[in-house]
Amino acid sequence: MRLSSDRLALVNPSASEGASQRARDLIAAGIDVINLATGEPDFDTPDHIIAAAIAALRAGQTRYTSTGGTLELRKAIVEKFARDNGISYELPEVLASAGTKNVIFLALVASLNPGDEVIVPAPHWVSYTEMTKMAGGTPVVVSCTQNNGFKLDAQALEQAITPRTRWLMLNTPCNPTGTVYSREDLAALADVIRRHPQVLVMTDEIYEHIIFDGRKFHSFAELAPDLKERTLTLNGVSKGYAMTGWRVGFAGGPAELITAMKKVQSQSLGSIGSISQAGAVAALMGPQAYLQERADAFQARRDRVIALLSYVPGLRCHRPEGAFYLFVDCSGLIGRMTPKAIMLDRDIDVAEYLLDEARVVVVNGTAYGISPYFRISIATSMQRLEAACERIAAAVARLT
Ligand code: PLP
């Protein structure tokens, strides 16, 4: 007897979480592994945020809160969207949940009917397609090429839209490529969306604060205010504020959709942790200057790793404009032979080889809907990154 549902049989487990777990297991077994799979900052949560959470505990804020978040948190979310993105939401138009991941899940469960289509530009974060399937929808993956900076363009979007299209998923800066959509890119996509009134836009902006080379971040609803009623803007404290374990993400969008999402949350999770919410208020309302300092540190690592990997024959790094990943084209390694006489047929084999031979954990590109690539996270110290590049170079040199 199978204990899981038919629907779940279509769903893949998270490849990045799988790779991270494998790294943790090997490290726990005493093996010297460099984990470049995990998508979380190596920085600590700032002290003022921790102090706010401790103060909340001491003040007895240890009970259930309202479903969409405490009033303080919802006000802070409204303030954040106005301050950082120039989008004005009212309180009924925002909600907090247990991480941006869960916000996306709520939105899809709340809005999809069986067979509704969700356009997912690839390479894409591993969960968009799988959550769509769990919610009864059909992911429509649209490949975006490296020549085009891995961006979805207006023509490809137009071609992907059908009468069944419910959502376009956008992710800027993007995991895994670090692609950032410019003002012009978003305006061109908005023109297409205007012509198709059945299509909603879900824009995942969780890496907003990790952006390089002095670029300016733009939010979809900021540039297309006339589409605000069809846009769900997602963000969270995990990445920018180094709060992955606190599990707070949030959304701004049309009140009707937010109400529907709260209905799902009220019958599944209830409210999120009261203490985490106090921390998130401190993050959103407190000092913001360190965000730029951290982004600068990620930029320096990006430059160093790209420089080191540029000497490795067979690898080609895409230059990210934000987030903390490098997406590496490994087509030059496909067809090569390992010292154990195993042929590298796919990027999955390359990732396995790097684990076995270099003791470096990366995530294969196939998990992100495009191959042959692998993703490395630069959210680890410069010293570890340099050591990892050295190991990768040595392992590649052993291929024939
Ligand atoms: N969206 C993207 C693009 C991500 O990369 C991640 C985490 O890896 C998330 C959402 C989930 O973030 P959270 O920790 O807020 O659930």
Side-chain angles (χ1 to χ4, degrees), residues 39 99-101 104 125 128 171 175 204 206-207 238-239 247-248 325:
T100 312
K101 199 171 205 170
I104 299 168
W125 183 45
Y128 299 139
N171 178 207
N175 173 6
D204 180 347
I206 191 164
Y207 295 98
S238 286
K239 312 286 179 172
R247 311 308 302 128
V248 181
Y325 308 102

Side-chain angles (χ1 to χ4, degrees), residues 16-17 38-40 97-104 124-128 131 169-176 204-207 234-239 243-250 323-325 368 375:
S16 49
E17 281 183 16
T38 304
E40 64 182 341
S97 188
T100 312
K101 199 171 205 170
N102 205 52
V103 178
I104 299 168
H124 58 81
W125 183 45
V126 291
S127 297
Y128 299 139
M131 287 202 230
M169 289 291 324
L170 278 182
N171 178 207
T172 177
C174 171
N175 173 6
D204 180 347
E205 302 176 354
I206 191 164
Y207 295 98
L234 309 173
N235 216 313
V237 294
S238 286
K239 312 286 179 172
M243 294 174 69
T244 46
W246 297 64
R247 311 308 302 128
V248 181
F250 49 88
F324 43 65
Y325 308 102
Y368 302 95
R375 186 196 79 168

Side-chain angles (χ1 to χ4, degrees), residues 9-308:
L10 304 172
V11 175
N12 297 309
S14 163
S16 49
E17 281 183 16
S20 304
Q21 189 51 48
R22 208 153 159 210
R24 282 192 286 268
D25 292 345
L26 288 168
I27 291 164
I31 297 168
D32 172 27
V33 159
I34 302 181
N35 179 8
L36 302 186
T38 304
E40 64 182 341
D42 51 320
F43 299 116
D44 291 329
T45 303
D47 282 345
H48 70 279
I49 298 174
I50 292 175
I54 293 171
L57 270 171
R58 296 248 179 261
Q61 290 176 28
T62 54
R63 300 178 188 281
Y64 293 137
T65 72
S66 53
T67 304
T70 60
L71 183 59
E72 291 74 21
L73 179 54
R74 283 179 292 129
K75 279 184 175 166
I77 294 167
V78 166
E79 165 78 23
K80 176 260 172 297
F81 280 129
R83 179 190 68 213
D84 298 346
N85 310 114
I87 312 172
S88 91
Y89 288 117
E90 304 284 333
L91 284 175
E93 295 175 311
V94 300
L95 130 161
S97 188
T100 312
K101 199 171 205 170
N102 205 52
V103 178
I104 299 168
F105 191 68
L106 294 179
L108 293 172
V109 170
S111 63
L112 290 181
N113 287 314
D116 280 354
E117 293 171 0
V118 177
I119 296 176
V120 182
H124 58 81
W125 183 45
V126 291
S127 297
Y128 299 139
T129 48
E130 307 316 293
M131 287 202 230
T132 297
K133 290 187 256 175
M134 279 195 270
T138 306
V140 175
V141 175
V142 180
S143 289
C144 305
T145 61
Q146 187 162 357
N147 298 342
N148 199 24
F150 292 117
K151 283 179 190 168
L152 178 71
D153 62 28
Q155 199 186 355
L157 173 60
E158 185 76 64
Q159 278 169 3
I161 292 176
T162 76
R164 292 308 308 263
T165 306
R166 185 74 160 143
W167 287 104
L168 162 65
M169 289 291 324
L170 278 182
N171 178 207
T172 177
C174 171
N175 173 6
T177 58
T179 295
V180 174
Y181 283 76
S182 69
R183 175 181 274 279
E184 294 71 31
D185 298 326
L186 293 175
L189 296 177
D191 279 344
V192 177
I193 297 294
R194 280 188 192 100
R195 290 198 287 275
H196 299 278
Q198 79 281 20
V199 183
L200 307 172
V201 178
M202 199 180 307
T203 167
D204 180 347
E205 302 176 354
I206 191 164
Y207 295 98
E208 166 183 15
H209 296 298
I210 305 165
I211 190 158
F212 308 141
D213 308 317
R215 257 189 194 74
K216 176 141 176 43
F217 173 79
H218 293 291
S219 186
F220 186 80
E222 165 209 345
L223 291 185
D226 58 314
L227 294 174
K228 194 178 144 215
E229 283 307 301
R230 288 203 266 144
T231 304
L232 188 69
T233 310
L234 309 173
N235 216 313
V237 294
S238 286
K239 312 286 179 172
Y241 298 94
M243 294 174 69
T244 46
W246 297 64
R247 311 308 302 128
V248 181
F250 49 88
E256 184 188 333
L257 178 62
I258 295 289
T259 305
M261 290 163 69
K262 275 190 205 157
K263 195 197 253 190
V264 180
Q265 175 138 295
S266 73
Q267 294 293 18
S268 51
L269 178 71
S271 59
I272 60 174
S274 53
I275 303 139
S276 291
Q277 294 190 58
V281 171
L284 296 177
M285 301 306 288
Q288 305 288 307
Y290 63 91
L291 298 174
Q292 184 59 51
E293 287 160 24
R294 291 181 172 190
D296 291 346
F298 284 124
Q299 183 177 322
R301 294 173 188 178
R302 173 201 67 174
D303 292 344
R304 181 80 180 127
V305 174
I306 289 181
L308 290 173

